[in-house]
Amino acid sequence: MPNTPIKPRRYRGASGDQRRAERYQQLIDAGLAVIGDVGYQACSVRSICAEAGLTERYFYESFANKEALLAEIYHAQTDYLKATMLAAFAHAERNSEAFANAGLRAFFETLHQNPAIARLLLFEILGVSDTIDRLYYEAMEEFAVLIRSLASSLGLADIANMPNQDIIYAGLVGAVIQIARRWALTGYQDSVDAVVASSLFLFVATSNYTERTYKS
């Protein structure tokens, strides 16, 4: 008699893999909520599981420890932020100021509308461990790709003779992040329009300087 394939067990219509995926997402969402509320150092596996409505057994089914969860949350939120900015670029008018404004506005509006994401990305990710620091700096390099898109829209990337372009892009990324940190620490007192305009000024000033210097 031929062997019959064993079907995976299902519980309430969901397979084991589906249930694990659901628990994984519950823990990601709970981790973001708890870290956004009390901070990474003050949160615990127990408090995250309580927020998720799961036992610690299920936490360790998906994550080796709290730091591993933090890394996954950070990846998920940076991917979300980049996707949001790319969508804004795609719908922007095809002129340099509108294109740059759209990306910066998507960045700042996402942080403003999601304080937990802002706290995680701007503050809680820093100083956890060497491994998490590497994740942070890798993400900053990835955001530099988006910054290059903004720079290109302003004509900055067309200046072939400009030296140390990577350093300039890294500086622009750092400047925008620092504006975001200051904005968050002041309780978002300035409007989104104000922080977007301030950030846009940096790109325009850089573009004007390099154009004047290297095309003169």
Side-chain angles (χ1 to χ4, degrees):
M1 182 176 180
N3 293 330
T4 301
I6 299 174
K7 295 182 180 180
R9 291 184 61 186
R10 304 184 72 86
Y11 178 72
R12 295 180 182 174
S15 69
D17 287 343
Q18 288 173 316
R19 296 199 307 279
R20 279 190 291 273
E22 289 170 1
R23 290 192 292 267
Y24 172 89
Q25 190 59 51
Q26 284 176 261
L27 289 163
I28 291 288
D29 294 342
L32 178 61
V34 175
I35 293 170
D37 184 31
V38 303
Y40 176 75
Q41 296 298 337
C43 79
S44 64
V45 169
R46 180 174 295 179
S47 63
I48 292 168
C49 289
E51 177 72 19
L54 297 170
T55 66
E56 292 184 37
R57 165 198 167 197
Y58 290 122
F59 180 93
Y60 293 108
E61 171 187 70
S62 296
F63 306 102
N65 49 40
K66 188 177 73 167
E67 185 176 310
L69 172 66
L70 176 66
E72 289 300 305
I73 296 171
Y74 185 66
H75 279 307
Q77 300 312 316
T78 54
D79 286 348
Y80 170 69
L81 185 56
K82 284 182 285 186
T84 302
M85 293 175 69
L86 288 170
F89 294 154
H91 292 93
E93 293 181 19
R94 294 298 137 185
N95 66 73
S96 60
E97 186 170 349
F99 190 71
N101 183 77
L104 289 167
R105 184 169 297 278
F107 173 75
F108 285 110
E109 284 186 345
T110 298
L111 298 183
H112 189 238
Q113 294 166 7
N114 301 275
I117 294 176
R119 181 169 182 173
L120 173 77
L121 297 183
L122 300 176
F123 303 106
E124 297 302 326
I125 200 65
L126 302 174
V128 173
S129 70
D130 289 345
T131 298
I132 297 298
D133 284 346
R134 281 194 296 272
L135 289 181
Y136 171 77
Y137 289 113
E138 287 169 4
M140 292 305 98
E141 287 296 315
E142 291 172 2
F143 275 107
V145 174
L146 296 181
I147 296 301
R148 289 186 186 100
S149 296
L150 293 174
S152 178
S153 76
L154 293 168
L156 178 60
D158 295 333
I159 304 172
N161 294 326
M162 183 178 63
N164 302 321
Q165 292 188 33
D166 289 342
I167 295 175
I168 292 172
Y169 292 130
L172 289 171
V173 171
V176 171
I177 293 296
Q178 186 57 31
I179 288 172
R181 286 195 183 113
R182 182 185 183 278
W183 189 41
L185 288 171
T186 58
Y188 305 103
Q189 291 179 4
D190 295 304
S191 67
V192 171
D193 287 343
V195 291
V196 169
S198 297
S199 299
L200 185 59
F201 174 82
L202 297 174
F203 290 97
V204 174
T206 301
S207 178
N208 290 342
Y209 173 81
T210 52
E211 186 169 353
R212 184 175 66 252
T213 302
Y214 296 105
K215 285 191 174 181
S216 60

